[in-house]
Amino acid sequence: VIDLPEFFEDHREDYFRGFLELLKFQHEAVAGKEQQGLLEQVKGAICECLVLYAEKYQEEFMPFLLPCVNEVWSLLVGLDQQEKNDQLVAKGIQFLSSTAATTGLSLHLSCEKVVFPNVLLRDSDVELFEDNPLEYVRRDMEAADQETRRRSSMDLVKAMGRLNEAKVTEILIGYVKALMSKAASAGAGEAERFKDACIFLCIAMAVREQTHREGVTVTNQNVNVLDFFTSLVASPELTAEPLSQRPVLRASCLKFVTVFRNQLPREQVGSTPQGQLAPRYDPSSMKGHLLQTVHPMLQLVASSKGIPMNEYLMRTVARIFSFLKQQGAETGLATLSPLSAILLAMSANPS
């Protein structure tokens, strides 16, 4: 860690006093209308600075910790669900996550006022899924963009869980049960959003350690992942007909399957229409299912139908052959011709 410059250390009280005043400041002239304005950008930058102090300069930051936490908390509770506030909310929650171990945040209030409101799907999220599914995938399915409300809320749950796992789990399981009860009596659109939030809350609760390659390696023993899968994800949603209904919720169900691929028995996943995602299948049993999807995907990319040059289709093809290794060699040779055609087309129009 680089030492805090002497000037900053000597004037830290002035800096933090200014930070706190700016976090309180409100004026329509500098606030954004539909997109984040100067005011939201400044407050977001302040939250980023506070994260740095909380993580790297705890001793110097300690006298100002509680006032900063209180002000950021008030800021988050006061912000609405408009998209212009998304990055500011994410950065504010990130700060709360970084201080969870030292401030003793109220678990009930944190879940009720911060986590729960920011995992529910909004109209804008559904519109994004329909209009720009690639961006939706980047944000929520692959977590490439860390500055999202959901990702930050999940990180806050994990941070609080490290302090009192059993209590946080008890609180969130209560929310999941309440959401499922609401979903049973709500209309189709609302029910889909409630169930989607349940899936994200379960992932936030259950995952303790994971890697990109191996998936989840350690889970919260207070959460029964298999029971959640069979009661909400597998039977009711992934097997429901027609498959074209509730696409956002299905996408979240598939996210659940991929996240917990090491914890779910292959018999359970294999019983769903998307059974080719079954975890721990060996390449020989998966070979037929996987290889029959390769040529249609390459044809889709080559013809530029759907989403032109979809990078996720190409990534899927690459991972199929990486998984099959030698067993995919014969089919791999046959794909060289269409792959060459795709590369030539892209090189002719690289933009």
Side-chain angles (χ1 to χ4, degrees):
V1 177
I2 300 174
D3 290 338
L4 194 65
E6 184 178 348
F7 182 86
F8 283 86
E9 189 167 355
D10 293 343
H11 295 82
R12 55 184 173 167
E13 187 172 343
D14 300 326
Y15 276 107
F16 285 112
R17 190 185 303 117
F19 286 163
L20 292 173
E21 290 301 318
L22 285 171
L23 288 174
K24 297 175 184 176
F25 182 74
Q26 292 289 345
H27 201 291
E28 291 185 1
V30 289
K33 303 299 182 184
E34 295 182 358
Q35 298 181 342
Q36 68 168 345
L38 181 61
L39 185 62
E40 290 82 18
Q41 293 177 30
V42 168
K43 291 183 178 182
I46 290 172
C47 289
E48 287 182 323
C49 291
L50 297 181
V51 170
L52 288 175
Y53 273 101
E55 292 180 349
K56 300 183 182 299
Y57 306 106
Q58 294 93 338
E59 184 177 344
E60 293 86 351
F61 186 46
M62 192 56 65
F64 312 98
L65 178 60
L66 288 178
C68 290
V69 168
N70 290 335
E71 201 55 54
V72 171
W73 174 272
S74 300
L75 173 69
L76 291 173
V77 172
L79 290 172
D80 57 29
Q81 293 289 317
Q82 292 185 73
E83 286 185 84
K84 70 171 187 175
N85 295 321
D86 285 359
Q87 291 191 25
L88 175 55
V89 169
K91 291 172 181 176
I93 296 176
Q94 184 183 1
F95 171 63
L96 294 184
S97 300
S98 66
T99 61
T102 53
T103 56
L105 289 171
S106 168
L107 301 180
H108 275 286
L109 283 176
S110 297
C111 294
E112 178 184 352
K113 300 292 186 182
V114 179
V115 174
F116 182 62
N118 290 301
V119 297
L120 281 172
L121 281 174
R122 302 166 295 176
D123 290 341
S124 58
D125 298 319
V126 177
E127 291 171 4
L128 178 65
F129 184 91
E130 295 171 348
D131 299 338
N132 192 350
L134 271 178
E135 181 61 22
Y136 186 93
V137 167
R138 288 191 181 102
R139 289 184 182 185
D140 269 339
M141 303 306 286
E142 291 206 341
D145 182 357
Q146 295 295 318
E147 293 180 356
T148 65
R149 291 175 183 254
R150 282 186 157 192
R151 173 56 46 188
S152 298
S153 298
M154 292 172 75
D155 289 343
L156 179 57
V157 170
K158 292 173 184 176
M160 294 188 299
R162 284 191 285 269
L163 301 175
N164 195 334
E165 184 174 81
K167 186 63 177 178
V168 172
T169 304
E170 178 187 348
I171 294 169
L172 291 179
I173 286 177
Y175 279 115
V176 168
K177 291 179 179 177
L179 285 171
M180 290 303 296
S181 177
K182 288 182 179 180
S185 58
E190 284 295 307
E192 180 180 8
R193 300 186 189 196
F194 290 149
K195 291 179 180 180
D196 179 84
C198 289
I199 291 172
F200 273 82
L201 287 174
C202 182
I203 294 173
M205 285 187 288
V207 175
R208 283 297 166 258
E209 293 182 18
Q210 70 179 127
T211 65
H212 185 72
R213 182 179 180 84
E214 301 296 332
V216 176
T217 55
V218 179
T219 60
N220 178 352
Q221 296 303 308
N222 300 299
V223 179
N224 190 328
V225 173
L226 179 58
D227 180 64
F228 188 90
F229 173 76
T230 53
S231 63
L232 174 63
V233 176
S235 300
E237 298 305 331
L238 289 181
T239 59
E241 298 287 348
L243 295 179
S244 58
Q245 286 188 351
R246 301 185 296 280
V248 178
L249 181 55
R250 285 183 185 276
S252 296
C253 289
L254 291 176
K255 174 185 174 72
F256 185 93
V257 173
T258 56
V259 167
F260 295 110
R261 58 187 180 273
N262 294 322
Q263 286 71 40
L264 300 176
R266 68 182 187 181
E267 296 80 10
Q268 294 283 344
V269 182
S271 65
T272 69
Q274 290 81 2
Q276 59 265 38
L277 291 174
R280 293 180 295 193
Y281 270 11
D282 87 350
S284 60
S285 62
M286 290 290 290
K287 180 180 176 181
H289 290 294
L290 292 174
L291 291 181
Q292 69 183 8
T293 67
V294 171
H295 282 290
M297 284 191 285
L298 292 177
Q299 290 171 2
L300 186 63
V301 174
S303 61
S304 296
K305 292 180 180 178
I307 302 169
M309 303 307 174
N310 189 321
E311 63 180 282
Y312 291 94
L313 290 178
M314 296 304 299
R315 192 176 297 177
T316 301
V317 171
R319 287 179 178 172
I320 286 174
F321 287 111
S322 175
F323 173 69
L324 293 176
K325 296 183 173 63
Q326 190 62 33
Q327 296 191 45
E330 184 177 341
T331 303
L333 289 173
T335 63
L336 291 179
S337 179
L339 283 172
S340 299
I342 292 170
L343 288 173
L344 288 172
M346 292 186 66
S347 61
N349 184 20
S351 62

